Amino acid sequence: YGSSNHNFNSVCRYFKFCPNCNQEYQNDVQCDLSKAMVSFVERKLHDGTPRASYLRIVALVDRLFVLSAGSNNAGTSEGQVICSKLTFLMDGMDSVMKARTYYALGCFYGSSGSLKKSKAYLETARNLLQDADDDSDSSVRDIADIEIKLNCSNASSDDVDSLRSRYEETFAKSGRETTLTIDAGVALAKALHSSDRHIEAEKLLANLVATSRRVHGQDHHCTKSAATALQGLTNELLEDPSSTDSEFGDIDGWFKSI
């Protein structure tokens, strides 16, 4: 099923974009309509033609991305069913569609905690896109986003400099407010946290949350991602206040001395 042979917009666009403002749906509306799109193509377009098969893959991949960005585990069972369906359909796909599918699988397994499986799928997706030599904006954007996710999954104290460079490069190219920059910032903050630079990580995440909330909205997946990371860091520091000692020494003693 070739991703370039059929017009995605002709059927599925109405499930993804508002006809009045031409903006992509977000939040609960996005979640509900992505599920409706899967139901539509599976019930109404089941004639076995390449077009029907392609649209089914597009709908399933889109639904998996939406489930991956969710803030809870409510969609885990549904996501696992979709993963099985996509794996079964994999043989008929062209390289770009196959890469997109592996990308969606990697995001889903990453969100559900299967990090090793997620990394394997993301690496496969990146390699397929690079081998396909596809210069389209969507493929270039996917490769950049996959690299960010892979760097995040591999983050350790040794990765801080490279992730900081990537964040600064993305910031310079795309600006402060894009989803790519926010995702790169979250990856950097997680690496900072893992290398015991908690205060710097907390300040960066707070800034990312404020920016994403202002630009993309409270319930956008970027805002949720940054907010979840910030909440997790804050909870960990509250449970173990001594974890900040390496940065500031004996804070209680310092306050008592002034």
Side-chain angles (χ1 to χ4, degrees):
Y1 315 121
S3 56
S4 60
N5 295 334
H6 303 286
N7 186 358
F8 166 79
N9 292 337
S10 64
V11 174
C12 297
R13 181 176 179 82
Y14 300 105
F15 291 95
K16 288 181 64 65
F17 295 92
C18 173
N20 296 320
C21 65
N22 206 35
Q23 297 295 309
E24 188 172 0
Y25 291 118
Q26 297 290 337
N27 312 327
D28 292 341
V29 175
Q30 180 191 45
C31 186
D32 291 343
L33 287 179
S34 69
K35 189 171 185 177
M37 182 164 65
V38 171
S39 178
F40 174 79
V41 299
E42 290 192 330
R43 295 182 181 181
K44 300 295 184 181
L45 303 175
H46 48 72
D47 54 11
T49 62
R51 177 176 181 270
S53 298
Y54 165 70
L55 290 173
R56 184 187 182 202
I57 294 168
V58 168
L60 290 169
V61 166
D62 180 76
R63 178 60 177 166
L64 200 58
F65 276 122
V66 171
L67 292 175
S68 301
S71 58
N72 53 54
N73 296 323
T76 301
S77 297
E78 181 188 354
Q80 290 172 342
V81 172
I82 291 176
C83 289
S84 298
K85 290 180 179 179
L86 288 171
T87 301
F88 176 77
L89 295 168
M90 194 80 72
D91 288 342
M93 302 180 194
D94 70 2
S95 58
V96 174
M97 178 58 78
K98 189 175 291 186
R100 182 76 176 167
T101 301
Y102 276 121
Y103 180 19
L105 292 169
C107 289
F108 172 74
Y109 283 113
S111 69
S112 59
S114 301
L115 300 183
K116 185 177 294 186
K117 186 178 290 188
S118 172
K119 181 181 177 182
Y121 281 131
L122 290 174
E123 288 176 341
T124 301
R126 178 196 58 194
N127 295 340
L128 283 170
L129 286 171
Q130 290 173 339
D131 291 344
D133 197 25
D134 181 7
D135 294 330
S136 67
D137 290 343
S138 60
S139 291
V140 172
R141 186 168 56 249
D142 283 350
I143 290 174
D145 196 20
I146 289 169
E147 291 285 6
I148 289 172
K149 292 181 184 300
L150 285 171
N151 280 327
C152 180
S153 68
N154 295 330
S156 68
S157 58
D158 295 333
D159 296 316
V160 171
D161 289 341
S162 62
L163 287 173
R164 190 187 300 279
S165 295
R166 183 176 295 278
Y167 172 63
E168 291 172 351
E169 290 172 5
T170 308
F171 186 104
K173 291 179 181 179
S174 304
R176 177 193 303 272
E177 299 172 348
T178 66
T179 57
L180 279 177
T181 302
I182 293 169
D183 285 343
V186 171
L188 171 58
K190 289 179 178 179
L192 287 167
H193 177 46
S194 69
S195 59
D196 295 329
R197 297 161 71 170
H198 309 294
I199 303 303
E200 185 179 357
E202 187 174 21
K203 288 181 178 179
L204 175 58
L205 284 171
N207 181 271
L208 294 170
V209 170
T211 299
S212 187
R213 183 180 291 127
R214 174 174 55 82
V215 176
H216 303 293
Q218 176 71 30
D219 296 319
H220 192 275
H221 68 85
C222 276
T223 308
K224 290 182 177 180
S225 174
T228 299
L230 177 59
Q231 187 62 54
L233 186 152
T234 302
N235 290 342
E236 189 171 323
L237 294 182
L238 288 174
E239 293 171 2
D240 183 16
S242 63
S243 61
T244 59
D245 288 354
S246 60
E247 293 179 84
F248 295 101
D250 183 4
I251 295 178
D252 289 340
W254 182 82
F255 273 112
K256 291 176 181 178
S257 68
I258 60 175

